[in-house]
Amino acid sequence: MTSDRAHILVLDGDGELIAALHEALDSKSYYIEVVKACADTLNTLERTRCDLVLLDLDQEGLARIELMKRVRETYPEASVIVATQHPTAASAITAVRYGVHDYLVKPARPEDLAQSVARGVAKARRARREKLLLARLRDLTYLLDLDEPPDMAYATAPTSHNGMSSRHGNGHLQTRDIIIDRHRRRVRRNGKWVNLTPTEFALLSYLVTHAGEVQEYRKLVREVQGYEADEWEARNLIKYYIHCLRKKLEPHPEEPTYILNVRGVGYLFSSPGI
């Protein structure tokens, strides 16, 4: 699946929705993944990002209503469309209450299904962009509000064989010419303070703590941002913050010596001797 194709997850009991989707959608723009059980839907959402979830309510009725609720509560950025041949006021009200994108009555016309899916995908992607922009805005606001700390002298701690400081116990990490004060959430390089956003600080701290070890993109998002992302989203998110860190830490950002990329895998922080 290429990164620009929308990922549609379909829970379909009788194959009717699948046939309608293939008739309505362009395969070059959409990747359709089919599951047959509620548990499979949740397992798929846990391991990958989906733009839209299409649920057939005519199979396992109550179980799928509960699944609809859980998907909306746990994965709010994914749009949800429900379809049923037997619409009821109760299921429609529940769908509205939980913010379902659309409630379709089967058999749905291909043109109606195509329009609903397109709007749902656009809504999901807009929500993700807004989430990323808000995170970056919070980081920028943090920097604008940050007072320059007084110049303080740190005694240089003896370093271990891999270039890491032995002063982990008091909240400091030191490697090469970088000192990280985890209590005050400050970073010094060559004796000068470097203003980092909270996300940049967390990412640098994690990489330095595991200096010399390759960290995969998805693992970095999980450890630093606290949520699961698919490979494409993780790669682009971490790439942005690594770019910011290199501009602030590397003498020559275009030729990095601290944070190195392992193509197709992730990043590592390079310490002396590694």
Side-chain angles (χ1 to χ4, degrees), residues 129-166:
R129 286 196 300 269
E130 290 174 354
K131 180 179 179 180
L132 179 58
L133 288 173
L134 284 173
R136 293 178 180 176
L137 181 60
R138 284 194 296 268
D139 282 349
L140 290 173
T141 302
Y142 173 85
L143 287 179
L144 290 173
D145 292 340
L146 185 64
D147 292 327
E148 187 72 14
D151 193 21
M152 297 176 61
Y154 278 94
T156 301
T159 56
S160 62
H161 68 280
N162 70 344
M164 291 299 301
S165 170
S166 60

PDB file of all heavy atoms in Angstrom, residues 129-166:
ATOM      1  N   ARG A 129      -3.951  16.027  10.689  1.00  0.00           N
ATOM      2  CA  ARG A 129      -3.126  17.215  10.431  1.00  0.00           C
ATOM      3  C   ARG A 129      -3.290  18.239  11.542  1.00  0.00           C
ATOM      4  O   ARG A 129      -2.315  18.852  11.994  1.00  0.00           O
ATOM      5  CB  ARG A 129      -3.509  17.836   9.084  1.00  0.00           C
ATOM      6  CG  ARG A 129      -3.030  17.062   7.869  1.00  0.00           C
ATOM      7  CD  ARG A 129      -3.106  17.913   6.611  1.00  0.00           C
ATOM      8  NE  ARG A 129      -4.456  18.364   6.341  1.00  0.00           N
ATOM      9  CZ  ARG A 129      -5.326  17.706   5.587  1.00  0.00           C
ATOM     10  NH1 ARG A 129      -4.993  16.550   5.049  1.00  0.00           N
ATOM     11  NH2 ARG A 129      -6.535  18.198   5.370  1.00  0.00           N
ATOM     12  N   GLU A 130      -4.522  18.428  11.993  1.00  0.00           N
ATOM     13  CA  GLU A 130      -4.772  19.393  13.065  1.00  0.00           C
ATOM     14  C   GLU A 130      -4.085  18.957  14.360  1.00  0.00           C
ATOM     15  O   GLU A 130      -3.547  19.793  15.094  1.00  0.00           O
ATOM     16  CB  GLU A 130      -6.276  19.549  13.279  1.00  0.00           C
ATOM     17  CG  GLU A 130      -6.976  20.274  12.138  1.00  0.00           C
ATOM     18  CD  GLU A 130      -8.484  20.287  12.283  1.00  0.00           C
ATOM     19  OE1 GLU A 130      -8.992  19.618  13.219  1.00  0.00           O
ATOM     20  OE2 GLU A 130      -9.159  20.951  11.470  1.00  0.00           O
ATOM     21  N   LYS A 131      -4.095  17.651  14.633  1.00  0.00           N
ATOM     22  CA  LYS A 131      -3.439  17.146  15.836  1.00  0.00           C
ATOM     23  C   LYS A 131      -1.941  17.416  15.788  1.00  0.00           C
ATOM     24  O   LYS A 131      -1.336  17.856  16.775  1.00  0.00           O
ATOM     25  CB  LYS A 131      -3.699  15.643  15.978  1.00  0.00           C
ATOM     26  CG  LYS A 131      -3.068  15.019  17.206  1.00  0.00           C
ATOM     27  CD  LYS A 131      -3.399  13.540  17.291  1.00  0.00           C
ATOM     28  CE  LYS A 131      -2.753  12.898  18.510  1.00  0.00           C
ATOM     29  NZ  LYS A 131      -3.076  11.445  18.595  1.00  0.00           N
ATOM     30  N   LEU A 132      -1.330  17.178  14.626  1.00  0.00           N
ATOM     31  CA  LEU A 132       0.101  17.416  14.477  1.00  0.00           C
ATOM     32  C   LEU A 132       0.419  18.901  14.583  1.00  0.00           C
ATOM     33  O   LEU A 132       1.383  19.300  15.244  1.00  0.00           O
ATOM     34  CB  LEU A 132       0.579  16.863  13.140  1.00  0.00           C
ATOM     35  CG  LEU A 132       2.069  17.047  12.818  1.00  0.00           C
ATOM     36  CD1 LEU A 132       2.929  16.399  13.890  1.00  0.00           C
ATOM     37  CD2 LEU A 132       2.390  16.461  11.451  1.00  0.00           C
ATOM     38  N   LEU A 133      -0.404  19.738  13.952  1.00  0.00           N
ATOM     39  CA  LEU A 133      -0.178  21.180  14.011  1.00  0.00           C
ATOM     40  C   LEU A 133      -0.322  21.705  15.433  1.00  0.00           C
ATOM     41  O   LEU A 133       0.441  22.573  15.866  1.00  0.00           O
ATOM     42  CB  LEU A 133      -1.158  21.901  13.078  1.00  0.00           C
ATOM     43  CG  LEU A 133      -0.889  21.749  11.578  1.00  0.00           C
ATOM     44  CD1 LEU A 133      -2.022  22.357  10.768  1.00  0.00           C
ATOM     45  CD2 LEU A 133       0.441  22.396  11.199  1.00  0.00           C
ATOM     46  N   LEU A 134      -1.299  21.177  16.181  1.00  0.00           N
ATOM     47  CA  LEU A 134      -1.476  21.603  17.566  1.00  0.00           C
ATOM     48  C   LEU A 134      -0.270  21.211  18.416  1.00  0.00           C
ATOM     49  O   LEU A 134       0.162  21.971  19.288  1.00  0.00           O
ATOM     50  CB  LEU A 134      -2.756  20.998  18.143  1.00  0.00           C
ATOM     51  CG  LEU A 134      -4.068  21.642  17.688  1.00  0.00           C
ATOM     52  CD1 LEU A 134      -5.259  20.837  18.193  1.00  0.00           C
ATOM     53  CD2 LEU A 134      -4.157  23.082  18.180  1.00  0.00           C
ATOM     54  N   ALA A 135       0.266  20.008  18.165  1.00  0.00           N
ATOM     55  CA  ALA A 135       1.450  19.574  18.911  1.00  0.00           C
ATOM     56  C   ALA A 135       2.630  20.503  18.629  1.00  0.00           C
ATOM     57  O   ALA A 135       3.366  20.896  19.536  1.00  0.00           O
ATOM     58  CB  ALA A 135       1.799  18.138  18.545  1.00  0.00           C
ATOM     59  N   ARG A 136       2.797  20.868  17.362  1.00  0.00           N
ATOM     60  CA  ARG A 136       3.896  21.769  17.015  1.00  0.00           C
ATOM     61  C   ARG A 136       3.655  23.165  17.579  1.00  0.00           C
ATOM     62  O   ARG A 136       4.595  23.846  17.999  1.00  0.00           O
ATOM     63  CB  ARG A 136       4.051  21.825  15.495  1.00  0.00           C
ATOM     64  CG  ARG A 136       4.526  20.499  14.901  1.00  0.00           C
ATOM     65  CD  ARG A 136       4.639  20.556  13.393  1.00  0.00           C
ATOM     66  NE  ARG A 136       5.097  19.280  12.857  1.00  0.00           N
ATOM     67  CZ  ARG A 136       5.222  19.017  11.563  1.00  0.00           C
ATOM     68  NH1 ARG A 136       4.923  19.948  10.669  1.00  0.00           N
ATOM     69  NH2 ARG A 136       5.645  17.836  11.154  1.00  0.00           N
ATOM     70  N   LEU A 137       2.391  23.590  17.600  1.00  0.00           N
ATOM     71  CA  LEU A 137       2.069  24.899  18.157  1.00  0.00           C
ATOM     72  C   LEU A 137       2.365  24.937  19.650  1.00  0.00           C
ATOM     73  O   LEU A 137       2.895  25.934  20.165  1.00  0.00           O
ATOM     74  CB  LEU A 137       0.596  25.226  17.898  1.00  0.00           C
ATOM     75  CG  LEU A 137       0.102  26.582  18.414  1.00  0.00           C
ATOM     76  CD1 LEU A 137       0.883  27.711  17.763  1.00  0.00           C
ATOM     77  CD2 LEU A 137      -1.392  26.745  18.140  1.00  0.00           C
ATOM     78  N   ARG A 138       2.034  23.847  20.356  1.00  0.00           N
ATOM     79  CA  ARG A 138       2.355  23.790  21.789  1.00  0.00           C
ATOM     80  C   ARG A 138       3.855  23.874  22.008  1.00  0.00           C
ATOM     81  O   ARG A 138       4.329  24.539  22.935  1.00  0.00           O
ATOM     82  CB  ARG A 138       1.792  22.500  22.396  1.00  0.00           C
ATOM     83  CG  ARG A 138       0.293  22.519  22.628  1.00  0.00           C
ATOM     84  CD  ARG A 138      -0.137  21.375  23.528  1.00  0.00           C
ATOM     85  NE  ARG A 138       0.114  20.087  22.903  1.00  0.00           N
ATOM     86  CZ  ARG A 138      -0.774  19.441  22.159  1.00  0.00           C
ATOM     87  NH1 ARG A 138      -1.958  19.972  21.929  1.00  0.00           N
ATOM     88  NH2 ARG A 138      -0.483  18.263  21.639  1.00  0.00           N
ATOM     89  N   ASP A 139       4.620  23.194  21.142  1.00  0.00           N
ATOM     90  CA  ASP A 139       6.071  23.253  21.263  1.00  0.00           C
ATOM     91  C   ASP A 139       6.582  24.673  21.031  1.00  0.00           C
ATOM     92  O   ASP A 139       7.455  25.167  21.752  1.00  0.00           O
ATOM     93  CB  ASP A 139       6.721  22.299  20.256  1.00  0.00           C
ATOM     94  CG  ASP A 139       6.660  20.849  20.717  1.00  0.00           C
ATOM     95  OD1 ASP A 139       6.308  20.622  21.889  1.00  0.00           O
ATOM     96  OD2 ASP A 139       6.966  19.958  19.913  1.00  0.00           O
ATOM     97  N   LEU A 140       6.042  25.348  20.010  1.00  0.00           N
ATOM     98  CA  LEU A 140       6.476  26.714  19.724  1.00  0.00           C
ATOM     99  C   LEU A 140       6.085  27.665  20.848  1.00  0.00           C
ATOM    100  O   LEU A 140       6.859  28.553  21.224  1.00  0.00           O
ATOM    101  CB  LEU A 140       5.864  27.184  18.401  1.00  0.00           C
ATOM    102  CG  LEU A 140       6.403  26.513  17.136  1.00  0.00           C
ATOM    103  CD1 LEU A 140       5.586  26.941  15.926  1.00  0.00           C
ATOM    104  CD2 LEU A 140       7.875  26.856  16.929  1.00  0.00           C
ATOM    105  N   THR A 141       4.888  27.479  21.396  1.00  0.00           N
ATOM    106  CA  THR A 141       4.445  28.315  22.512  1.00  0.00           C
ATOM    107  C   THR A 141       5.354  28.122  23.716  1.00  0.00           C
ATOM    108  O   THR A 141       5.698  29.077  24.422  1.00  0.00           O
ATOM    109  CB  THR A 141       2.995  27.970  22.889  1.00  0.00           C
ATOM    110  OG1 THR A 141       2.165  28.158  21.743  1.00  0.00           O
ATOM    111  CG2 THR A 141       2.497  28.853  24.020  1.00  0.00           C
ATOM    112  N   TYR A 142       5.762  26.878  23.935  1.00  0.00           N
ATOM    113  CA  TYR A 142       6.679  26.582  25.042  1.00  0.00           C
ATOM    114  C   TYR A 142       7.978  27.364  24.872  1.00  0.00           C
ATOM    115  O   TYR A 142       8.499  27.958  25.817  1.00  0.00           O
ATOM    116  CB  TYR A 142       6.960  25.080  25.076  1.00  0.00           C
ATOM    117  CG  TYR A 142       8.019  24.666  26.070  1.00  0.00           C
ATOM    118  CD1 TYR A 142       7.698  24.433  27.402  1.00  0.00           C
ATOM    119  CD2 TYR A 142       9.342  24.503  25.667  1.00  0.00           C
ATOM    120  CE1 TYR A 142       8.672  24.051  28.308  1.00  0.00           C
ATOM    121  CE2 TYR A 142      10.323  24.123  26.565  1.00  0.00           C
ATOM    122  CZ  TYR A 142       9.980  23.896  27.880  1.00  0.00           C
ATOM    123  OH  TYR A 142      10.944  23.520  28.770  1.00  0.00           O
ATOM    124  N   LEU A 143       8.506  27.390  23.653  1.00  0.00           N
ATOM    125  CA  LEU A 143       9.758  28.108  23.417  1.00  0.00           C
ATOM    126  C   LEU A 143       9.587  29.610  23.600  1.00  0.00           C
ATOM    127  O   LEU A 143      10.464  30.287  24.133  1.00  0.00           O
ATOM    128  CB  LEU A 143      10.265  27.815  22.003  1.00  0.00           C
ATOM    129  CG  LEU A 143      10.853  26.422  21.769  1.00  0.00           C
ATOM    130  CD1 LEU A 143      11.294  26.281  20.320  1.00  0.00           C
ATOM    131  CD2 LEU A 143      12.025  26.157  22.703  1.00  0.00           C
ATOM    132  N   LEU A 144       8.460  30.149  23.174  1.00  0.00           N
ATOM    133  CA  LEU A 144       8.228  31.584  23.318  1.00  0.00           C
ATOM    134  C   LEU A 144       8.119  31.987  24.785  1.00  0.00           C
ATOM    135  O   LEU A 144       8.520  33.085  25.172  1.00  0.00           O
ATOM    136  CB  LEU A 144       6.952  31.987  22.576  1.00  0.00           C
ATOM    137  CG  LEU A 144       7.026  31.935  21.049  1.00  0.00           C
ATOM    138  CD1 LEU A 144       5.648  32.199  20.452  1.00  0.00           C
ATOM    139  CD2 LEU A 144       8.034  32.952  20.523  1.00  0.00           C
ATOM    140  N   ASP A 145       7.560  31.086  25.603  1.00  0.00           N
ATOM    141  CA  ASP A 145       7.379  31.386  27.025  1.00  0.00           C
ATOM    142  C   ASP A 145       8.598  31.045  27.863  1.00  0.00           C
ATOM    143  O   ASP A 145       8.647  31.342  29.053  1.00  0.00           O
ATOM    144  CB  ASP A 145       6.179  30.613  27.584  1.00  0.00           C
ATOM    145  CG  ASP A 145       4.870  31.109  26.999  1.00  0.00           C
ATOM    146  OD1 ASP A 145       4.854  32.251  26.493  1.00  0.00           O
ATOM    147  OD2 ASP A 145       3.883  30.356  27.041  1.00  0.00           O
ATOM    148  N   LEU A 146       9.594  30.412  27.249  1.00  0.00           N
ATOM    149  CA  LEU A 146      10.735  29.909  28.005  1.00  0.00           C
ATOM    150  C   LEU A 146      11.695  31.042  28.339  1.00  0.00           C
ATOM    151  O   LEU A 146      12.180  31.747  27.463  1.00  0.00           O
ATOM    152  CB  LEU A 146      11.463  28.839  27.191  1.00  0.00           C
ATOM    153  CG  LEU A 146      12.623  28.118  27.872  1.00  0.00           C
ATOM    154  CD1 LEU A 146      12.121  27.326  29.065  1.00  0.00           C
ATOM    155  CD2 LEU A 146      13.320  27.196  26.881  1.00  0.00           C
ATOM    156  N   ASP A 147      11.965  31.228  29.611  1.00  0.00           N
ATOM    157  CA  ASP A 147      12.959  32.208  30.034  1.00  0.00           C
ATOM    158  C   ASP A 147      14.338  31.590  29.913  1.00  0.00           C
ATOM    159  O   ASP A 147      14.541  30.431  30.249  1.00  0.00           O
ATOM    160  CB  ASP A 147      12.725  32.626  31.491  1.00  0.00           C
ATOM    161  CG  ASP A 147      11.443  33.413  31.637  1.00  0.00           C
ATOM    162  OD1 ASP A 147      11.089  34.154  30.694  1.00  0.00           O
ATOM    163  OD2 ASP A 147      10.801  33.270  32.693  1.00  0.00           O
ATOM    164  N   GLU A 148      15.295  32.351  29.466  1.00  0.00           N
ATOM    165  CA  GLU A 148      16.668  31.856  29.373  1.00  0.00           C
ATOM    166  C   GLU A 148      17.201  31.595  30.771  1.00  0.00           C
ATOM    167  O   GLU A 148      17.230  32.485  31.618  1.00  0.00           O
ATOM    168  CB  GLU A 148      17.550  32.891  28.670  1.00  0.00           C
ATOM    169  CG  GLU A 148      18.956  32.399  28.390  1.00  0.00           C
ATOM    170  CD  GLU A 148      18.979  31.363  27.278  1.00  0.00           C
ATOM    171  OE1 GLU A 148      17.978  31.234  26.566  1.00  0.00           O
ATOM    172  OE2 GLU A 148      20.018  30.694  27.145  1.00  0.00           O
ATOM    173  N   PRO A 149      17.588  30.367  31.097  1.00  0.00           N
ATOM    174  CA  PRO A 149      18.058  30.058  32.438  1.00  0.00           C
ATOM    175  C   PRO A 149      19.409  30.700  32.712  1.00  0.00           C
ATOM    176  O   PRO A 149      20.162  30.996  31.786  1.00  0.00           O
ATOM    177  CB  PRO A 149      18.178  28.527  32.430  1.00  0.00           C
ATOM    178  CG  PRO A 149      18.380  28.183  31.001  1.00  0.00           C
ATOM    179  CD  PRO A 149      17.632  29.211  30.202  1.00  0.00           C
ATOM    180  N   PRO A 150      19.729  30.958  33.971  1.00  0.00           N
ATOM    181  CA  PRO A 150      21.026  31.531  34.299  1.00  0.00           C
ATOM    182  C   PRO A 150      22.145  30.585  33.923  1.00  0.00           C
ATOM    183  O   PRO A 150      21.980  29.371  33.941  1.00  0.00           O
ATOM    184  CB  PRO A 150      20.950  31.717  35.826  1.00  0.00           C
ATOM    185  CG  PRO A 150      19.931  30.720  36.273  1.00  0.00           C
ATOM    186  CD  PRO A 150      18.935  30.644  35.175  1.00  0.00           C
ATOM    187  N   ASP A 151      23.276  31.169  33.561  1.00  0.00           N
ATOM    188  CA  ASP A 151      24.412  30.349  33.175  1.00  0.00           C
ATOM    189  C   ASP A 151      24.924  29.606  34.399  1.00  0.00           C
ATOM    190  O   ASP A 151      25.251  30.201  35.414  1.00  0.00           O
ATOM    191  CB  ASP A 151      25.517  31.236  32.594  1.00  0.00           C
ATOM    192  CG  ASP A 151      26.577  30.409  31.899  1.00  0.00           C
ATOM    193  OD1 ASP A 151      26.262  29.264  31.527  1.00  0.00           O
ATOM    194  OD2 ASP A 151      27.687  30.912  31.736  1.00  0.00           O
ATOM    195  N   MET A 152      24.954  28.287  34.309  1.00  0.00           N
ATOM    196  CA  MET A 152      25.377  27.462  35.431  1.00  0.00           C
ATOM    197  C   MET A 152      26.522  26.574  34.985  1.00  0.00           C
ATOM    198  O   MET A 152      26.570  26.123  33.848  1.00  0.00           O
ATOM    199  CB  MET A 152      24.222  26.577  35.932  1.00  0.00           C
ATOM    200  CG  MET A 152      23.046  27.364  36.484  1.00  0.00           C
ATOM    201  SD  MET A 152      21.705  26.259  36.947  1.00  0.00           S
ATOM    202  CE  MET A 152      22.524  25.275  38.196  1.00  0.00           C
ATOM    203  N   ALA A 153      27.441  26.338  35.875  1.00  0.00           N
ATOM    204  CA  ALA A 153      28.580  25.484  35.557  1.00  0.00           C
ATOM    205  C   ALA A 153      28.284  24.071  36.018  1.00  0.00           C
ATOM    206  O   ALA A 153      27.885  23.853  37.156  1.00  0.00           O
ATOM    207  CB  ALA A 153      29.840  26.006  36.253  1.00  0.00           C
ATOM    208  N   TYR A 154      28.445  23.127  35.132  1.00  0.00           N
ATOM    209  CA  TYR A 154      28.301  21.723  35.474  1.00  0.00           C
ATOM    210  C   TYR A 154      29.686  21.106  35.538  1.00  0.00           C
ATOM    211  O   TYR A 154      30.497  21.277  34.630  1.00  0.00           O
ATOM    212  CB  TYR A 154      27.492  20.974  34.406  1.00  0.00           C
ATOM    213  CG  TYR A 154      26.012  21.121  34.543  1.00  0.00           C
ATOM    214  CD1 TYR A 154      25.342  22.115  33.842  1.00  0.00           C
ATOM    215  CD2 TYR A 154      25.289  20.267  35.353  1.00  0.00           C
ATOM    216  CE1 TYR A 154      23.970  22.249  33.949  1.00  0.00           C
ATOM    217  CE2 TYR A 154      23.912  20.391  35.461  1.00  0.00           C
ATOM    218  CZ  TYR A 154      23.265  21.375  34.759  1.00  0.00           C
ATOM    219  OH  TYR A 154      21.908  21.503  34.860  1.00  0.00           O
ATOM    220  N   ALA A 155      29.935  20.391  36.602  1.00  0.00           N
ATOM    221  CA  ALA A 155      31.171  19.623  36.649  1.00  0.00           C
ATOM    222  C   ALA A 155      31.042  18.469  35.676  1.00  0.00           C
ATOM    223  O   ALA A 155      30.015  17.813  35.615  1.00  0.00           O
ATOM    224  CB  ALA A 155      31.405  19.092  38.067  1.00  0.00           C
ATOM    225  N   THR A 156      32.057  18.246  34.897  1.00  0.00           N
ATOM    226  CA  THR A 156      32.000  17.174  33.918  1.00  0.00           C
ATOM    227  C   THR A 156      32.196  15.845  34.613  1.00  0.00           C
ATOM    228  O   THR A 156      33.197  15.618  35.287  1.00  0.00           O
ATOM    229  CB  THR A 156      33.092  17.356  32.853  1.00  0.00           C
ATOM    230  OG1 THR A 156      32.895  18.621  32.227  1.00  0.00           O
ATOM    231  CG2 THR A 156      33.030  16.247  31.826  1.00  0.00           C
ATOM    232  N   ALA A 157      31.215  14.978  34.440  1.00  0.00           N
ATOM    233  CA  ALA A 157      31.281  13.677  35.089  1.00  0.00           C
ATOM    234  C   ALA A 157      32.135  12.736  34.276  1.00  0.00           C
ATOM    235  O   ALA A 157      32.224  12.856  33.059  1.00  0.00           O
ATOM    236  CB  ALA A 157      29.871  13.095  35.225  1.00  0.00           C
ATOM    237  N   PRO A 158      32.786  11.788  34.942  1.00  0.00           N
ATOM    238  CA  PRO A 158      33.549  10.798  34.193  1.00  0.00           C
ATOM    239  C   PRO A 158      32.621   9.989  33.308  1.00  0.00           C
ATOM    240  O   PRO A 158      31.523   9.636  33.709  1.00  0.00           O
ATOM    241  CB  PRO A 158      34.166   9.922  35.298  1.00  0.00           C
ATOM    242  CG  PRO A 158      33.296  10.140  36.488  1.00  0.00           C
ATOM    243  CD  PRO A 158      32.806  11.540  36.389  1.00  0.00           C
ATOM    244  N   THR A 159      33.056   9.731  32.095  1.00  0.00           N
ATOM    245  CA  THR A 159      32.210   9.008  31.157  1.00  0.00           C
ATOM    246  C   THR A 159      32.588   7.547  31.113  1.00  0.00           C
ATOM    247  O   THR A 159      33.720   7.162  31.382  1.00  0.00           O
ATOM    248  CB  THR A 159      32.335   9.607  29.747  1.00  0.00           C
ATOM    249  OG1 THR A 159      33.699   9.604  29.365  1.00  0.00           O
ATOM    250  CG2 THR A 159      31.801  11.024  29.723  1.00  0.00           C
ATOM    251  N   SER A 160      31.601   6.745  30.741  1.00  0.00           N
ATOM    252  CA  SER A 160      31.812   5.310  30.665  1.00  0.00           C
ATOM    253  C   SER A 160      32.387   4.945  29.313  1.00  0.00           C
ATOM    254  O   SER A 160      32.635   5.795  28.472  1.00  0.00           O
ATOM    255  CB  SER A 160      30.478   4.584  30.887  1.00  0.00           C
ATOM    256  OG  SER A 160      29.570   4.938  29.866  1.00  0.00           O
ATOM    257  N   HIS A 161      32.536   3.650  29.068  1.00  0.00           N
ATOM    258  CA  HIS A 161      33.178   3.196  27.837  1.00  0.00           C
ATOM    259  C   HIS A 161      32.403   3.573  26.595  1.00  0.00           C
ATOM    260  O   HIS A 161      32.971   3.689  25.516  1.00  0.00           O
ATOM    261  CB  HIS A 161      33.365   1.677  27.890  1.00  0.00           C
ATOM    262  CG  HIS A 161      32.071   0.924  27.834  1.00  0.00           C
ATOM    263  ND1 HIS A 161      31.264   0.765  28.936  1.00  0.00           N
ATOM    264  CD2 HIS A 161      31.443   0.312  26.796  1.00  0.00           C
ATOM    265  CE1 HIS A 161      30.188   0.061  28.590  1.00  0.00           C
ATOM    266  NE2 HIS A 161      30.268  -0.214  27.308  1.00  0.00           N
ATOM    267  N   ASN A 162      31.073   3.784  26.705  1.00  0.00           N
ATOM    268  CA  ASN A 162      30.301   4.138  25.514  1.00  0.00           C
ATOM    269  C   ASN A 162      30.035   5.630  25.416  1.00  0.00           C
ATOM    270  O   ASN A 162      29.198   6.074  24.649  1.00  0.00           O
ATOM    271  CB  ASN A 162      28.969   3.374  25.482  1.00  0.00           C
ATOM    272  CG  ASN A 162      28.007   3.852  26.549  1.00  0.00           C
ATOM    273  OD1 ASN A 162      28.402   4.526  27.495  1.00  0.00           O
ATOM    274  ND2 ASN A 162      26.741   3.493  26.395  1.00  0.00           N
ATOM    275  N   GLY A 163      30.747   6.426  26.218  1.00  0.00           N
ATOM    276  CA  GLY A 163      30.611   7.870  26.124  1.00  0.00           C
ATOM    277  C   GLY A 163      29.503   8.437  26.973  1.00  0.00           C
ATOM    278  O   GLY A 163      29.281   9.634  26.987  1.00  0.00           O
ATOM    279  N   MET A 164      28.761   7.606  27.709  1.00  0.00           N
ATOM    280  CA  MET A 164      27.675   8.083  28.542  1.00  0.00           C
ATOM    281  C   MET A 164      28.192   8.451  29.920  1.00  0.00           C
ATOM    282  O   MET A 164      29.121   7.850  30.437  1.00  0.00           O
ATOM    283  CB  MET A 164      26.596   6.996  28.684  1.00  0.00           C
ATOM    284  CG  MET A 164      25.845   6.719  27.405  1.00  0.00           C
ATOM    285  SD  MET A 164      24.965   8.163  26.810  1.00  0.00           S
ATOM    286  CE  MET A 164      23.911   8.488  28.208  1.00  0.00           C
ATOM    287  N   SER A 165      27.568   9.457  30.529  1.00  0.00           N
ATOM    288  CA  SER A 165      27.960   9.868  31.860  1.00  0.00           C
ATOM    289  C   SER A 165      27.542   8.837  32.885  1.00  0.00           C
ATOM    290  O   SER A 165      26.542   8.146  32.731  1.00  0.00           O
ATOM    291  CB  SER A 165      27.306  11.210  32.193  1.00  0.00           C
ATOM    292  OG  SER A 165      27.496  11.515  33.553  1.00  0.00           O
ATOM    293  N   SER A 166      28.295   8.744  33.957  1.00  0.00           N
ATOM    294  CA  SER A 166      27.917   7.855  35.048  1.00  0.00           C
ATOM    295  C   SER A 166      26.954   8.534  36.005  1.00  0.00           C
ATOM    296  O   SER A 166      26.565   7.949  37.005  1.00  0.00           O
ATOM    297  CB  SER A 166      29.175   7.412  35.815  1.00  0.00           C
ATOM    298  OG  SER A 166      29.834   8.552  36.355  1.00  0.00           O
TER     299      SER A 166
END
